[in-house]
């Protein structure tokens, strides 16, 4: 669903007149809607381990080098070298000393840290992207800017999550006559997103019942 469609859905829910371009959005509430749509879209995308945000990247680690620029635009899930998984270590001391051994990597500021190898290595990374929006040409970015931009949250969940979530945040008053409706629709869509977007049924949320 395109950015303009999301905006107009919000305007209809709030009993405002719909628009044909961003230049028509001149009221304070208009500007707040634009801002809140971006905030909620990023909050939802960054709140979970979503399959729709999984990406892959490869980097070259030169021989006798223990650090490279961290060009991973997101949170690393898996990192492989020569087909072997390397696990993250928070202890950067050995990496900085150049004495780290074993199948571990670390990070420091904008660098990824590795053990020293005498041969060039290919770093294969699976990660959750920080991007939340896709442009018409397929490029990804963090924020809605153009009316044709689309959220990376898949249909049909994106409409309920962003529209009702934005209305909730904009009004912020539990006494509003639509507040309970918006809240229930938002929660339902978020729950469905969590349960229905995983490729594997083994990775879907589960409910466990316990007896006293």
């Amino acid at each position: 669903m395109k950015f303009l469609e999301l905006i107009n859905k919000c305007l209809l829910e709030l009993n405002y007149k719909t628009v044909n371009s961003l230049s028509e959005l001149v009221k304070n509430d208009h500007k707040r809607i634009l801002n809140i749509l971006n905030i909620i879209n990023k909050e939802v995308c960054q709140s979970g381990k979503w399959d729709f945000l999984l990406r892959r990247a490869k980097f070259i680690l030169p021989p006798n080098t223990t650090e490279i620029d961290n060009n991973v635009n997101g949170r690393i899930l898996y990192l492989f070298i020569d087909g072997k998984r390397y696990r993250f270590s928070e202890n950067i001391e050995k990496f900085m000393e150049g004495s780290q051994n074993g199948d571990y990597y670390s990070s420091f500021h904008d660098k990824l840290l590795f053990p020293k190898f005498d041969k060039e290595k290919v770093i294969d990374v699976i990660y959750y992207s920080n991007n939340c929006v896709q442009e018409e040409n397929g490029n990804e970015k963090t924020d809605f800017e153009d009316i044709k931009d689309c959220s990376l949250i898949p249909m049909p969940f994106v409409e309920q999550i962003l529209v009702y979530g934005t209305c909730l945040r904009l009004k912020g008053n539990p006494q509003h006559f639509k507040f309970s409706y918006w809240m229930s629709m938002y929660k339902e869509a978020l729950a469905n997103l969590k349960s229905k977007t995983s490729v594997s049924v083994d990775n879907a949320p589960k409910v466990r019942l316990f007896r006293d």
Side-chain angles (χ1 to χ4, degrees):
M1 178 172 283
K2 293 181 173 59
F3 190 31
L4 183 61
E5 295 176 279
L6 291 169
I7 293 168
N8 280 328
K9 290 280 187 180
C10 291
L11 293 174
L12 287 172
E13 277 294 320
L14 297 163
N15 294 318
Y16 288 133
K17 182 181 178 181
T18 58
V19 298
N20 295 309
S21 67
L22 296 181
S23 62
E24 297 178 49
L25 299 168
V26 295
K27 298 180 179 180
N28 286 337
D29 275 0
H30 289 163
K31 296 175 182 178
R32 291 180 64 199
I33 287 170
L34 298 181
N35 186 47
I36 294 171
L37 278 169
N38 267 313
I39 290 173
I40 293 180
N41 190 49
K42 285 188 284 191
E43 283 180 351
V44 171
C45 286
Q46 295 170 6
S47 67
K49 298 177 181 179
W50 306 113
D51 286 354
F52 59 84
L53 292 180
L54 281 175
R55 302 291 183 269
R56 186 175 186 176
K58 291 188 177 183
F59 307 99
I60 298 298
L61 178 67
N64 300 311
T65 302
T66 58
E67 65 179 47
I68 58 174
D69 291 338
N70 183 3
N71 293 318
V72 178
N73 182 31
R75 297 166 293 159
I76 295 174
L77 177 61
Y78 299 122
L79 186 147
F80 297 92
I81 300 176
D82 292 337
K84 180 183 295 186
R85 182 182 174 185
Y86 277 61
R87 299 184 182 275
F88 182 77
S89 171
E90 295 183 352
N91 184 0
I92 66 171
E93 182 179 357
K94 290 186 177 181
F95 290 94
M96 302 302 288
E97 292 175 345
S99 60
Q100 174 62 45
N101 295 313
D103 305 333
Y104 295 96
Y105 74 97
S106 190
S107 67
F108 181 71
H109 291 311
D110 58 349
K111 301 290 185 180
L112 289 176
L113 310 179
F114 300 94
K116 185 180 292 186
F117 300 98
D118 57 5
K119 295 181 180 179
E120 178 180 281
K121 297 293 181 179
V122 176
I123 312 299
D124 194 2
V125 177
I126 304 296
Y127 67 99
Y128 292 102
S129 175
N130 284 336
N131 290 323
C132 312
V133 174
Q134 186 177 61
E135 296 177 330
E136 187 179 24
N137 60 11
N139 291 333
E140 295 181 357
K141 57 186 181 182
T142 57
D143 292 295
F144 291 113
E145 296 171 318
D146 184 83
I147 59 173
K148 294 181 180 180
D149 290 343
C150 293
S151 171
L152 292 179
I153 300 172
M155 288 290 288
F157 316 105
V158 61
E159 178 181 346
Q160 283 185 228
I161 289 173
L162 295 189
V163 173
Y164 297 125
T166 297
C167 292
L168 278 170
R169 191 74 60 89
L170 181 71
K171 291 303 179 181
N173 181 9
Q175 303 305 316
H176 190 281
F177 73 100
K178 277 192 172 183
F179 191 89
S180 295
Y181 170 72
W182 292 335
M183 178 66 77
S184 64
M185 296 298 283
Y186 172 80
K187 287 184 175 180
E188 177 185 350
L190 196 58
N192 285 334
L193 177 68
K194 291 178 180 178
S195 64
K196 297 179 180 178
T197 56
S198 176
V199 173
S200 170
V201 295
D202 294 330
N203 202 31
K206 299 176 177 64
V207 176
R208 296 182 179 180
L209 301 178
F210 298 92
R211 293 182 178 179
D212 294 333

